[in-house]
């Protein structure tokens, strides 16, 4: 299963899905279609089975997937203003 949190991941995970020998279910949230993220023109893949850590912190860990990663990063920003350092996975 592949569930990207932005356009960069969508391109890399889709390429990996096509190249994978096993069947892959690819999910994407249509509410992210208008989000803008830099995506390289060259081909790349994102390997399956590796967590994407979007920020490192010492006080708490927030686990999210898909579209919720963006909200988790916003929550971590809010908590940082209160002096709480969060890791977002």
């Amino acid at each position: 299963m592949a569930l990207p949190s932005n356009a960069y991941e969508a391109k890399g995970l889709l390429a990996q899905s096509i190249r994978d020998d096993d069947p892959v279910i690819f999910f994407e949230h249509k509410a992210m279609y208008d989000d803008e993220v830099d995506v390289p023109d060259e081909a790349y893949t994102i390997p399956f089975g590796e967590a994407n850590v979007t920020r490192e912190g010492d006080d708490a860990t927030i686990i999210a997937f898909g579209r919720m990663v963006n909200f988790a990063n916003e929550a971590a920003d809010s908590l940082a203003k209160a002096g709480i350092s969060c890791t977002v996975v």
Side-chain angles (χ1 to χ4, degrees), residues 13-83:
L13 289 171
L14 185 58
Q16 181 66 31
S17 299
I18 292 167
R19 295 175 183 171
D20 200 273
D21 291 333
D22 296 320
V24 177
I25 299 172
F26 192 90
F27 294 98
E28 58 186 0
H29 199 292
K30 67 180 182 178
M32 295 188 321
Y33 290 167
D34 292 330
D35 294 350
E36 293 186 19
V37 177
D38 290 331
V39 178
D41 290 331
E42 63 271 357
Y44 62 93
T45 61
I46 297 176
F48 295 142
E50 296 179 14
N52 181 23
V53 179
T54 60
R55 73 175 60 222
E56 296 282 344
D58 297 321
D59 299 320
T61 301
I62 303 171
I63 308 292
F65 57 89
R67 183 174 180 231
M68 293 298 113
V69 172
N70 302 319
F71 294 114
N73 282 318
E74 290 175 11
D77 289 340
S78 295
L79 290 167
K81 292 176 185 172

